Amino acid sequence: MTNAKFGELPLRQESEVELCVYSPDGKTVAVGLLNWKIRVYSTTDWEILWTLEGHSHYANSIAYSPDGTQIASSSLDKTVRIWNILTGLCLYVLSGFDGAVHNVAYSPQGDQLACACGDRRVRLWDVESGEFRHILIGHTDYVSGVKYSLNGRQMASYSGDFTLRLWSTETKECLHILRGHTFYIQSVAYSPRGDQVASASDDETIRLWDMTTGECCHVLTGHTFYVRSVMYSPNGNQIASASYDSSVRLWDVGAGVCLHVLQGHTGYVRQVVYSSQGNLVASASNDYTVRLWDTATGVCMQTLTGHSREVTSVDLSPQGDKIASGSNDETLRLWDVRAGTPTRHISTRHDSAVWGVRRSPRGDLVATCSYDRAVRLWDERTGVCHQTLRGHTGQVRCVDFSPEGDQIATGSGDGTVRLWNADTGTCTHTLVGHSSLIWNVAYSPQGNQLASSSFDNTVKLWDVKTGECRRTLTGHTGFINCMMYSPDGKHIASCSRDSTVRIWNAETGDCSFTLPGLGTFQHLVYSPPGNQVAACNSDSTVRVWDVRTGECRHIFIGHNVPVHSAYSSNGRQIASGGKDGSVRIWDTTTRTCLWAFSGHTNMVNRIVYSSRG
């Protein structure tokens, strides 16, 4: 997180912040809003990467996968959603719950997701496939939360029945029922040493339990109101607890005694977190402040002021040098631990991440589409926003200009394609037919036809004058990552998560060839003459096929995972960009890598040759 910037981020949807969570590597922060959205920020420049929409109630729990590539969110809408952080897309909607889902947790291995349910059960799901695996039954009231042990062999669930249950993740058997609390359990934490579980309760106590025997080792008393948060220090020697009695307490785990009572807050303390080094504790309070405490002395090091309403959540970056705090004042604030102050505001024209950019063939406009559901048209010379096109009810994923530049097509998460007059900004047609998110739109070279691809695994061909659907191309069994017309407009190529590329006749809709690969195809491109298609595959290859025969001509190997490619204007070279941050130039005649360029610190999403090649 070198050169990271800090500041206050005004959240544009006028909603209170319920949750904020750092990713495992500290490169992103996920923020749950009471308007049912989740926003993901980059901690490099604090721009909004994604606005995740789909829940019909606010997310009450957010968890990153251990590798940081996914987010799981649970909601009172009785669903859990798994999101891809690299694309901002919802991979799976886990449903079938008989009540609200209160909490989610990834296993340390990242292969399993546990869900705490209002129907008194814990459900386990396979993360890779999104399939339901097991149900854990035993609680007699709603399950408030779940937590995995650090080695993943055990899981704890806590419930409105005032009990904590320990389960074997291998046999799915209940190992122990931990009884003793006399009111609701609000927080559970496993010791980093792997020998204890701590539980905090509205009965004003914290209990420490032996993981192996299920016996209660200590009952920590001293708080005079509900205890809402508990956390072990990184070395497992200390516990911090936060209470509605306006205090934070630090406890010695071995002796079971209170080391320090941290006083200074004048309102409920909702949450407490340790820094990665264990030398600091941050606390979030209803008194509109975040406080930083020295864990050795119990002294308050900083009082972070600036929020104008209750601070609902707080998290420390993995490096311990910055803090994220969310509040009911509808802001997320980022703090430098050393300075103790936010340093700048972030402001953008779009209210969310910009996903697509297209330049008009007439050279006068640039179109941008965003997850804020809008398309903006910019004057290329002055940079002034010329038009804002509104009408979609979901994020706008893709945009394209007609060959003449007089029409614009947009595809959205609402499952529709819209056609707009580029001069007036009016919507001329709303194309309805897909049953899921639109991922790509492309005009035919002649401009009389539009192709759209969707997460419903189909490509649809539309008449741009009438808005009628002419053909539906079916055959893919996974969502379509990329689709484009051949240079002469006679064929369409599509690549899919089903590990195939398909070549279609644009007139009849028939599939001419199905070209197989070993992994997911991310992107494809036609050669300028239209006789070849190159496709990037997750098996670390770029594959080139002859579209006339369907034969694989070349397999270029070098990237760890290529994600985008482009032909030079003469067709003699292919450039590919990968998740490894490199760009490679390949000779299509000799089939060799001419150059490998490095320098990017993250994956290369797009590659474009100049018109001169």
Side-chain angles (χ1 to χ4, degrees):
M1 300 211 359
T2 306
N3 299 323
K5 300 175 182 178
F6 312 95
E8 176 187 350
L9 304 183
L11 300 178
R12 299 295 181 185
Q13 302 304 318
E14 298 183 357
S15 180
E16 299 172 2
V17 178
E18 177 70 11
L19 302 162
C20 60
V21 183
Y22 269 99
S23 63
D25 60 8
K27 293 181 179 179
T28 63
V29 170
V31 181
L33 307 177
L34 289 186
N35 66 357
W36 310 348
K37 298 178 183 179
I38 299 168
R39 283 192 168 167
V40 182
Y41 291 87
S42 164
T43 58
T44 303
D45 52 16
W46 294 111
E47 294 290 338
I48 301 172
L49 296 177
W50 313 111
T51 298
L52 311 180
E53 300 181 71
H55 282 300
S56 58
H57 211 291
Y58 73 87
N60 52 16
S61 176
I62 295 175
Y64 275 92
S65 61
D67 63 5
T69 61
Q70 288 183 357
I71 283 178
S73 58
S74 64
S75 172
L76 299 182
D77 65 7
K78 302 181 183 181
T79 69
V80 171
R81 288 177 176 260
I82 298 179
W83 312 84
N84 186 312
I85 292 303
L86 301 179
T87 65
L89 296 173
C90 182
L91 300 176
Y92 302 108
V93 180
L94 312 183
S95 58
F97 302 100
D98 295 329
V101 187
H102 296 291
N103 187 243
V104 289
Y106 279 94
S107 65
Q109 295 76 23
D111 58 340
Q112 191 177 79
L113 188 75
C115 306
C117 311
D119 61 5
R120 301 177 293 181
R121 294 168 171 82
V122 177
R123 285 176 168 82
L124 306 180
W125 302 78
D126 182 87
V127 171
E128 179 67 24
S129 65
E131 295 180 357
F132 170 73
R133 292 303 188 197
H134 299 284
I135 188 167
L136 308 181
I137 300 175
H139 285 295
T140 58
D141 206 334
Y142 67 89
V143 184
S144 308
V146 286
K147 186 81 70 173
Y148 280 92
S149 63
L150 295 187
N151 61 15
R153 297 175 183 171
Q154 193 181 94
M155 184 179 61
S157 62
Y158 51 102
S159 165
D161 62 11
F162 308 164
T163 69
L164 182 71
R165 287 178 176 252
L166 304 183
W167 309 83
S168 167
T169 57
E170 295 178 359
T171 66
K172 310 303 183 294
E173 295 178 356
C174 181
L175 303 174
H176 302 289
I177 303 174
L178 312 183
R179 295 185 172 93
H181 284 298
T182 58
F183 211 8
Y184 299 117
I185 299 172
Q186 298 292 348
S187 180
V188 166
Y190 272 97
S191 167
R193 298 186 301 196
D195 57 344
Q196 277 186 352
V197 177
S199 56
S201 170
D202 282 351
D203 66 8
E204 304 174 4
T205 70
I206 299 102
R207 288 179 175 259
L208 307 185
W209 311 85
D210 187 294
M211 283 174 52
T212 304
T213 66
E215 295 180 359
C216 183
C217 306
H218 296 290
V219 180
L220 311 182
T221 60
H223 284 297
T224 58
F225 207 0
Y226 303 152
V227 186
R228 288 302 174 100
S229 179
V230 64
M231 188 176 186
Y232 278 91
S233 63
N235 61 14
N237 294 331
Q238 197 179 82
I239 283 177
S241 58
S243 171
Y244 274 18
D245 65 8
S246 303
S247 75
V248 174
R249 287 179 177 252
L250 303 182
W251 309 84
D252 183 286
V253 170
V257 297
C258 182
L259 300 173
H260 302 288
V261 181
L262 313 183
Q263 295 179 321
H265 283 299
T266 57
Y268 298 159
V269 185
R270 292 171 172 254
Q271 190 181 3
V272 62
V273 290
Y274 276 94
S275 65
S276 56
Q277 295 79 21
N279 60 320
L280 292 175
V281 162
S283 55
S285 173
N286 274 22
D287 65 7
Y288 310 170
T289 70
V290 175
R291 286 180 177 254
L292 289 180
W293 312 85
D294 186 299
T295 58
T297 65
V299 173
C300 181
M301 308 294 291
Q302 293 275 4
T303 301
L304 310 181
T305 60
H307 284 297
S308 58
R309 287 193 62 187
E310 302 87 348
V311 184
T312 57
S313 57
V314 65
D315 200 11
L316 276 157
S317 66
Q319 294 77 10
D321 57 346
K322 43 199 151 291
I323 295 173
S325 60
S327 168
N328 286 341
D329 65 5
E330 303 171 9
T331 67
L332 170 71
R333 287 180 179 253
L334 293 310
W335 312 85
D336 187 322
V337 168
R338 292 162 295 181
T341 56
T343 58
R344 76 180 185 109
H345 285 71
I346 305 296
S347 180
T348 60
R349 295 296 183 104
H350 277 291
D351 292 338
S352 189
V354 176
W355 189 252
V357 178
R358 285 292 184 274
R359 183 175 179 270
S360 168
R362 299 187 298 198
D364 56 341
L365 294 175
V366 173
T368 57
C369 62
S370 169
Y371 270 51
D372 65 4
R373 307 178 186 179
V375 177
R376 292 181 183 267
L377 305 183
W378 309 83
D379 188 296
E380 189 172 284
R381 295 166 297 173
T382 65
V384 174
C385 183
H386 176 65
Q387 297 265 12
T388 299
L389 313 182
R390 299 189 185 276
H392 283 297
T393 59
Q395 68 268 27
V396 185
R397 170 59 184 80
C398 48
V399 60
D400 196 21
F401 279 94
S402 64
E404 297 298 321
D406 57 343
Q407 193 179 74
I408 297 170
T410 57
S412 168
D414 63 13
T416 69
V417 175
R418 285 179 177 253
L419 303 182
W420 312 80
N421 184 299
D423 297 315
T424 65
T426 56
C427 180
T428 57
H429 295 288
T430 300
L431 312 183
V432 179
H434 284 294
S435 60
S436 187
L437 177 150
I438 310 298
W439 193 241
N440 286 283
V441 290
Y443 280 93
S444 65
Q446 295 77 20
N448 62 325
Q449 192 179 77
L450 182 82
S452 60
S453 65
S454 167
F455 271 31
D456 64 9
N457 306 341
T458 70
V459 175
K460 287 182 178 288
L461 308 182
W462 310 85
D463 186 299
V464 299
K465 290 184 179 180
T466 65
E468 295 180 2
C469 181
R470 296 301 190 188
R471 299 279 187 274
T472 299
L473 314 184
T474 60
H476 282 299
T477 58
F479 64 74
I480 298 167
N481 284 325
C482 186
M483 168 271 303
M484 72 182 303
Y485 278 92
S486 61
D488 61 9
K490 294 181 179 180
H491 294 90
I492 294 172
S494 60
C495 66
S496 167
R497 194 173 179 176
D498 65 8
S499 303
T500 68
V501 172
R502 287 177 177 254
I503 308 297
W504 311 84
N505 184 301
E507 178 64 27
T508 65
D510 295 332
C511 181
S512 304
F513 298 105
T514 301
L515 314 176
L518 299 179
T520 299
F521 284 104
Q522 311 282 354
H523 179 260
L524 58 78
V525 62
Y526 271 97
S527 64
N531 61 325
Q532 289 183 341
V533 165
C536 298
N537 195 281
S538 63
D539 67 358
S540 303
T541 67
V542 177
R543 293 172 182 261
V544 180
W545 284 276
D546 187 310
V547 298
R548 296 163 298 186
T549 63
E551 294 181 3
C552 183
R553 293 298 189 185
H554 316 299
I555 300 178
F556 298 129
I557 302 173
H559 290 291
N560 61 357
V561 178
V563 295
H564 200 271
S565 59
Y567 271 93
S568 62
S569 57
N570 59 15
R572 296 174 183 171
Q573 290 181 358
I574 292 176
S576 59
K579 286 187 177 180
D580 55 11
S582 71
V583 174
R584 290 175 179 263
I585 308 297
W586 309 88
D587 188 300
T588 58
T589 303
T590 64
R591 310 177 189 180
T592 58
C593 181
L594 301 175
W595 299 286
F597 304 129
S598 60
H600 288 294
T601 57
N602 208 330
M603 68 176 180
V604 180
N605 286 315
R606 293 290 184 271
I607 289 181
V608 179
Y609 270 97
S610 68
S611 58
R612 294 176 296 180

